[in-house]
Structure formats: structure tokens, C-alpha cells
Amino acid sequence: MIISPEIAFWNDAIQQPAERRHGPAPEHLVAALRASHAGLAFATAAGFDEDVDRALASLPPAVLARLHTSWLGAYVVEGLEREALTDLVLTPDGEFLGIATLLDAGELADVTANGWASARASAAFPASPSLVEVRVEEAGADTRANALRLVLLHEAGKALAAGRRFIPDWWAGEAQGEYSFLPLSWRVDEAGGIVPADDALRRAGADPAATYEAIEGTAWLTPFGAQSPLDDFAEAFALYAHIVLSDRPYAVRAFDGAAPVDYAPRWDAPRLAGKLALLKRFVPDVAREADPQVAAAALPFAPLVGTAPLMRRAFNKVDMAPVAQALLARAESDQLDANAYLDFAITLQLTGDRDVAMDVQAEAVRIRPHYTLPARQGEMLRLLVIMGLGDLMANTPIEFLLEESDVTLEMLYVTADAPWPDVVPEHDVMMVCMGENDANQPLLARLSEWIAGWPRPVINGPDRIAVLSRDGACNALSGIDGVEMPQTVRLARARVAALAAAPETLTDVLPDGVFPLIVRPLGSHAGHDLDKIDTPAGLAAYLERVPADSFYLSRFVDYRGANGLFGKYRVVLVEGVPYLAHFASSEHWMVHYLNAGMGESAAKRALEAEAMAQFDATFAARHRAALAEIDRRIGLQYVGMDCAETPDGRLLVFEVDNAMIVHAMDDEATYPYKKPAMRKIFTAFRRMLENARTRR
């Protein structure tokens, strides 16, 4: 083990991309190692680190991604008296900092790829070192850089074996519990020792040709790998990366007194199926994946995919299963891969497994509450987004609003059981995107305290978001001239049952209440368990089929238009200016865009196209005063509203919410008019951020 007090150096190192973590060993590292390697010295070999740079840059992306979290880099020395050393780096107090690799420039000064591979293979036959030749590169690529590439792949295998229960950790000394890679070629004997599971190589003796013939009947890839479980894993990892991921050769010729024996490990052979399956899961072959989203999802510790691309895939009815499987494999392979957990939670929601999705999301936030989505167009503004746990309708759809913009999103999840972080990401503007619900009310109150006096501009104060419950919004908008928002009350189940039994008491709790009533459970969205109840008997029947504890009740307003259709507008207010996000028409009173038949009806789309084209001059003009007063009372720079018009021309408000889905995913061929309308919203939203920044 390497004991080092230079925590800042190692922290800086691991912030670099894995392929850039290399260089001459610093003085403190050489000093730390001299106790066990007295002859250690600084490297002097010309051009050696440049070859290390070339070697690292050529490693498969999945290998570099897998090294990202714990590998501290490759550092060049001389006098190590071995080609390479990979070991743990600990503080003097025993805190684990990572795993570092040392390369001896003296030992490796004159190597070539084929020469190094031949020497490595011959090491398994010390009595006959000249009887094995290995070709791993063609003549033009038989360089020192490619030799170092193989060295680094083997050392990477050792580093990545640590702590993952593939094999016993090299510092542990004995097997403890179960391992995934070990039983493929090894077993634990009665004395607790680790011995080969197959004695075929022992029977072959020291004859290289006989050994390579015998190895075809085992699960080892090479005789060198059969020396120990650590060598076995490192050899398998390196050759998987070299042959499968990189399409490079590995051909052995072993000699004896008779004809030579040729050997090349075939990864598709049944004998290697167990190792191949494990390694494919651990380091996926993303280069051959034709689906770019699956490739991005499979790459270990890859950047966050995010809600918008995944929802767009589901919206376009592209199979989500390959993405889900890739993300699940990543999460299972490394329980610190928070991006995999969060993307997997999104995928589970999109495939209908909400309860499991919420558990996975909570685990992602426990691992790491902060996630970054870089700007697509070159960063010009950094937005700190305060998010809460919940489904796809629990937060402002910030990714859709800024999907192709120059804004980097720093998404910070806050929870009721965690304190406000001591350090938050650098940002120009903060926006609270957490939506209102009963579970979030205490958190919104705490958030108001946490960010009071915040030194950066804040968009959408949590105290104003807290007003947006259905009954809260109703109270806030009460009495606005030209606005109809039926009074809404929340009632416990027993009280609703009492109303069903004694309907004459309805006006005691709902002064304007008459049947039909609109009833829904608290916290429901998108029409889930929403119903129009025409009679007290219908209310009793509703309670029998909906097991919720509490409900919202309000009076039903018939808003059918002269054309016989119910029309619902989704309007967003950006700095008080109204924009139309969609207009859906339906024969049914409960209008949701996805089930209103918009895609099937050219006539309905024509109505929406006209509504969008004429919105400023018609709807927005008719309700200008009402919308301005709604904006003043709600007090949010960005908010959405589902609404309609009554036959007598009033603005009928169904819901006010900062987390309504607003997107531009619709097919342009079918909805050619929508993209320009959505672009207006996105432009206004980006302008709002810039205005906030300049006002600070």
C-alpha cells in the first residue's frame, strides 16, 4: 500500500479524465515508495510519458469510463525493479484515496508490443522462455506505445478487481464469502486455500506446446492467467479489451520438439462463456452498439442521459427495454454510478413501473444529490435547478425548456431528511423547480428559509409555489373579474362518504356545490381517478372503487363549445406574458392531449393550429386583464395553467402549476405549426433567465 498525505494532489488527479491521469511521479510519491523500493528514482527515459499518453488515449471508451471513479493514474519512475505496480493509496489515517499505477521507464524502455506479450506469455514457462511467441500487433503497430497499452490494460484489470468481489482482494489474503469471477476457474479447498478448479495445465507440465493444447479444455485464457486469481482476472480483462473491444490480434505459437502449436483464444467458445458474460456486463462493447442511446446508457459512469432524450424515445414508441437493461447492468456493476440510477429511474417511470422508479430515484439521490447536464450550444449561463423527489410531473420540465440551449443545468435534489448542502454548484441564477404537493409543503417551507437572502437571483420562490395546491390556487384566484374557478375543497374519505349519504349537506363544505361534482384524490394528475359524479349514489360508487384517503371536490362547469367539443388550453406565463403550449379538443369533458384524438383528427389539429396562430390577438387579448391579475396573485416568473373558455366567455381555470409538461416532441410532419409556437416559449424562458442574471 502507498501511504500518502498529499490528499490535494490525488483529489486533483481524479478530477481529470482518466486518459489524462499520467506523468512523471511527483517527489512525494517517490519518497513514499522508497521505504519498500530503496532504488526508486525519477524517470529519465526520453519520450516515455508521451507513449503513456498515446497508450491511454487508445484504450476503449468503456475501459476509461470504468477507471473513472477510483483509478488515480499512471506515474513513471525508474528503479522499481519490475515493469509495473498497481496498489492502493491511503492517507496516514488509513482513508482510501484510490488506486495508482507505477510504470518503470527503465524496465519498459525498449519494449515492443509483440516482444512484451511474448515475454509475458513465456513467464509461465521459466524453464523454456524462448519457446513461446505472441503476436498482438501487426508490424507497423509493434511499438512501445502499444506495449504500454497492454501493460496498462493488465494493470487496469488489477485496479478494477479491487473491492468488487470478482476475486478475493489481493491485500485480504484469503477468500471470504462469495465471488462472481473466482469460481469460473478456481475453487476454495478444505483448508481455505484457493486452488485451480481444473488440473489440466498441471498435467501438461512445463511443455509450452502441451500446455496450450490443454488450455483449450479449460476456462483460462492463457497459462499466465492460471498462476493466480488476480493474474486470471487481469489477463481476462486485458484480452477482452484487446480482442473483443479493440479488434486487435492475439496469436500464440508455442514450440516443442515436434510441430509448433498455434493458439488464439476464441471468446465465442463455450469454455469462455462465463467470463465473457461477466466482462460484457462490466465493460460493455459500446463501440458496436448501433443504437446511440443504448451505447450512452451502457457506458460505465457515463454522463447523465436525462429526462428529455429518454422521454422523447418513449414518446416516439422506440423500444425502451434495451436502454433499461443497459442502465440496470450499469447500476448493478457499480453501486456508486449515480447517473445510471437516476436514468434508470426515469426509464422505469416511462415504462410504467412508478413505484420501483421512485425507490431507484431515492437511491440515486442518496448516492449523490447533484447532477449536471451540460449546455448543448456552448455554455453562456449556468442555472442551479432545485428539484424534489417524484415522478415526471413533480418538477418544472426544465430539460425540455432548455433542451438545445446554451444553458448548463446544475440539478440539485433536496429532500426532507437531508440538510441544505454546505457547498452548492457554481451558478448564475437559481430556479426552484420543485412542484407543489402535500409531501413537499414542509420542504418548500424549509427551502424558503434555506435560500432567504440568496446571493444570486432566484426564480420561482418556494413560498409562492406552496400556494399552488388545487384549493390554494382556487383561493388565490377567487374574485378575479372574468375568471371562473369553481371553489375547491379537500375532504377526508369519511366526510365524502357522509356527503354521499346526506347530499343536502354539500353546501356546508362547498358553498357553490351542486351535482355534478368533479372528484379526484389528492395528488393525482393526468386524470388518474378523476371523475364527474352526477348523483349522490354515483359518489358512493366512486368511493367503492377509489381507495384514497382524501379527495378534492369542486363543482362541474360545462364548457362545451359551439362546435360541440370541449377545448382545453395549456397556457404558460413567462414573466407575465402568456404563451400557448397546446390546445386540445375532445368530445369528452375530461380533456388530455394524449387521449383527445389529436393525431387522428385533422380537424382538431386545424383548430389547434388556428388557436396558436391567433393566440395573441384572440385568447390572450380577450383575457388580458384576467391573465395579468392571475400573474400578479400567483407571483411566479414561470408557471403553467390548464384552462378553457365558458360559453359566456369567462376564463375557466382548471389548474395552476409550475410543473406542467411543456415540450416540442410532436412529429413535425403531423403538427407543423407546433414547433414555432414552442420556440416562442423556449425563447421567452431563456430571456427570463438572462433578465434575472442582469438584475442581480
Side-chain angles (χ1 to χ4, degrees):
M1 295 182 184
I2 302 169
I3 307 301
S4 173
E6 303 295 330
I7 298 174
F9 172 84
W10 299 114
N11 284 343
D12 288 344
I14 209 161
Q15 296 302 316
Q16 299 297 316
E19 63 270 25
R20 296 182 188 170
R21 299 176 196 170
H22 66 89
E27 184 175 351
H28 64 81
L29 180 56
V30 173
L33 285 161
R34 277 189 176 139
S36 54
H37 300 82
L40 204 66
F42 297 104
T44 58
F48 191 87
D49 190 55
E50 287 82 353
D51 278 348
V52 175
D53 183 76
R54 295 185 188 96
L56 282 170
S58 72
L59 295 185
V63 172
L64 291 169
R66 183 55 73 189
L67 289 170
H68 173 74
T69 53
S70 60
W71 188 65
L72 297 169
Y75 300 94
V76 183
V77 297
E78 290 185 10
L80 190 62
E81 298 181 345
R82 56 193 294 179
E83 292 175 340
L85 170 69
T86 292
D87 211 343
L88 308 182
V89 180
L90 308 177
T91 68
D93 295 330
E95 178 187 353
F96 175 74
L97 295 174
I99 300 174
T101 295
L102 297 173
L103 299 174
D104 191 317
E107 296 284 336
L108 294 165
D110 299 320
V111 296
T112 62
N114 293 334
W116 182 87
S118 297
R120 165 60 64 100
S122 297
F125 307 100
S128 309
S130 62
L131 297 183
V132 182
E133 295 177 357
V134 182
R135 180 176 59 83
V136 292
E137 298 288 356
E138 303 301 339
D142 188 17
T143 63
R144 182 172 68 180
N146 279 331
L148 293 175
R149 182 180 190 273
L150 282 170
V151 173
L152 287 166
L153 282 173
H154 280 85
E155 297 305 311
K158 294 176 183 178
L160 293 171
R164 286 189 166 86
R165 301 206 64 79
F166 291 135
I167 57 175
D169 292 320
W170 68 76
W171 62 89
E174 60 182 21
Q176 298 177 344
E178 296 183 355
Y179 302 91
S180 56
F181 185 89
L182 184 72
L184 299 176
S185 299
W186 307 85
R187 63 181 178 84
V188 180
D189 65 17
E190 294 179 356
I194 299 174
V195 298
D198 191 307
D199 67 350
L201 299 192
R202 182 188 60 79
R203 293 196 306 271
D207 183 339
T211 299
Y212 276 102
E213 285 185 324
I215 207 167
E216 295 277 13
T218 75
W220 284 299
L221 280 100
T222 67
F224 185 90
Q227 296 181 122
S228 73
L230 182 59
D231 289 327
D232 185 17
F233 184 83
E235 193 85 342
F237 178 88
L239 293 187
Y240 169 77
H242 182 78
I243 299 169
V244 177
L245 300 185
S246 305
D247 280 326
R248 299 196 184 196
Y250 187 87
V252 178
R253 174 158 287 189
F255 300 88
D256 63 6
V261 170
D262 291 324
Y263 168 75
R266 289 181 52 85
W267 277 100
D268 58 353
R271 71 186 185 92
L272 298 179
K275 289 181 177 177
L276 178 63
L278 185 149
L279 289 167
K280 284 180 70 174
R281 195 170 179 84
F282 184 54
V283 188
D285 188 4
V286 295
R288 289 184 177 82
E289 176 54 61
D291 186 327
Q293 277 196 334
V294 176
L299 195 65
F301 292 95
L304 191 71
V305 176
T307 299
L310 292 171
M311 188 180 286
R312 191 179 300 278
R313 182 185 182 97
F315 190 83
N316 292 330
K317 296 181 171 55
V318 181
D319 187 8
M320 297 297 295
V323 174
Q325 291 162 4
L327 291 167
L328 176 60
R330 263 177 64 192
E332 289 179 338
S333 293
D334 201 311
Q335 296 179 2
L336 294 179
D337 193 343
N339 287 351
Y341 277 80
L342 192 60
D343 280 333
F344 187 43
I346 296 166
T347 304
L348 286 169
Q349 291 183 67
L350 293 170
T351 54
D353 204 343
R354 183 186 184 280
D355 291 344
V356 176
M358 294 301 94
D359 290 340
V360 175
Q361 182 192 65
E363 181 63 15
V365 173
R366 186 196 65 77
I367 297 168
R368 192 183 73 232
H370 168 224
Y371 297 83
T372 300
L373 283 172
R376 297 283 185 89
Q377 302 295 331
E379 181 185 311
M380 296 300 291
L381 185 143
R382 190 170 288 259
L383 180 66
L384 177 60
V385 180
I386 307 302
M387 309 275 280
L389 297 177
D391 60 25
L392 297 170
M393 294 179 287
N395 294 281
T396 303
I398 193 71
E399 292 184 42
F400 287 112
L401 293 166
L402 295 168
E403 191 172 7
E404 297 295 335
S405 77
D406 58 358
V407 177
T408 289
L409 299 179
E410 301 288 0
M411 299 184 295
L412 180 64
Y413 283 83
V414 295
T415 60
D417 56 355
W420 183 255
D422 293 331
V423 178
V424 300
E426 281 294 323
H427 59 283
D428 300 299
V429 178
M430 173 195 288
M431 181 170 178
V432 180
C433 289
M434 183 189 309
E436 187 284 328
N437 57 51
D438 278 6
N440 278 351
Q441 283 288 351
L443 186 53
L444 288 166
R446 290 180 66 193
L447 188 57
S448 294
E449 298 174 2
W450 285 336
I451 66 173
W454 196 253
R456 297 283 188 274
V458 177
I459 292 173
N460 280 11
D463 57 324
R464 303 311 305 160
I465 294 171
V467 173
L468 299 182
S469 63
R470 292 185 185 275
D471 52 342
C474 177
N475 293 333
L477 303 187
S478 176
I480 298 178
D481 189 35
V483 173
E484 172 81 9
M485 189 172 189
Q487 187 172 359
T488 300
V489 293
R490 62 171 70 193
L491 298 176
R493 182 180 187 85
R495 191 69 185 88
V496 178
L499 284 178
E504 66 276 7
T505 64
L506 176 59
T507 54
D508 294 342
V509 293
L510 192 63
D512 67 349
V514 292
F515 285 92
L517 294 174
I518 296 296
V519 185
R520 74 172 77 214
L522 262 65
S524 75
H525 291 279
H528 183 67
D529 286 331
L530 170 67
D531 209 343
K532 179 167 73 75
I533 305 300
D534 294 314
T535 64
L539 186 58
Y542 174 85
L543 290 175
E544 288 182 5
R545 67 176 184 271
V546 180
D549 295 327
S550 300
F551 301 86
Y552 283 119
L553 274 72
S554 63
R555 171 175 53 87
F556 172 72
V557 176
D558 191 341
Y559 60 101
R560 190 191 309 265
N563 60 2
L565 299 175
F566 294 91
K568 189 189 77 172
Y569 297 79
R570 175 156 293 179
V571 175
V572 293
L573 297 173
V574 186
E575 295 187 294
V577 179
Y579 299 89
L580 182 58
H582 69 231
F583 175 68
S585 299
S586 175
E587 294 78 7
H588 193 274
W589 64 267
M590 184 168 56
V591 184
H592 291 288
Y593 199 90
L594 292 179
N595 61 17
M598 298 296 293
E600 295 75 24
S601 172
K604 291 180 179 180
R605 294 196 301 276
L607 290 173
E608 183 178 39
E610 182 180 6
M612 287 186 157
Q614 303 297 324
F615 179 75
D616 292 341
T618 55
F619 185 97
R622 288 194 296 270
H623 304 293
R624 181 174 290 111
L627 291 168
E629 182 61 14
I630 290 171
D631 175 64
R632 187 188 70 79
R633 293 194 187 188
I634 295 299
L636 293 169
Q637 294 97 316
Y638 173 85
V639 72
M641 181 171 64
D642 280 347
C643 55
E645 289 181 297
T646 63
D648 61 0
R650 287 170 296 158
L651 178 64
L652 175 61
V653 178
F654 300 122
E655 182 180 6
V656 183
D657 191 358
N658 66 315
M660 288 180 175
I661 296 293
V662 175
H663 65 79
M665 295 189 293
D666 294 291
D667 176 51
E668 288 190 65
T670 305
Y671 304 89
Y673 53 87
K674 292 197 77 171
K675 188 77 77 174
M678 300 313 299
R679 194 174 296 117
K680 289 181 181 179
I681 297 174
F682 302 155
T683 300
F685 190 87
R686 178 63 181 87
R687 185 167 57 245
M688 175 190 73
L689 299 181
E690 197 61 40
N691 290 342
R693 172 163 63 177
T694 57
R695 283 196 296 266
R696 71 181 182 185

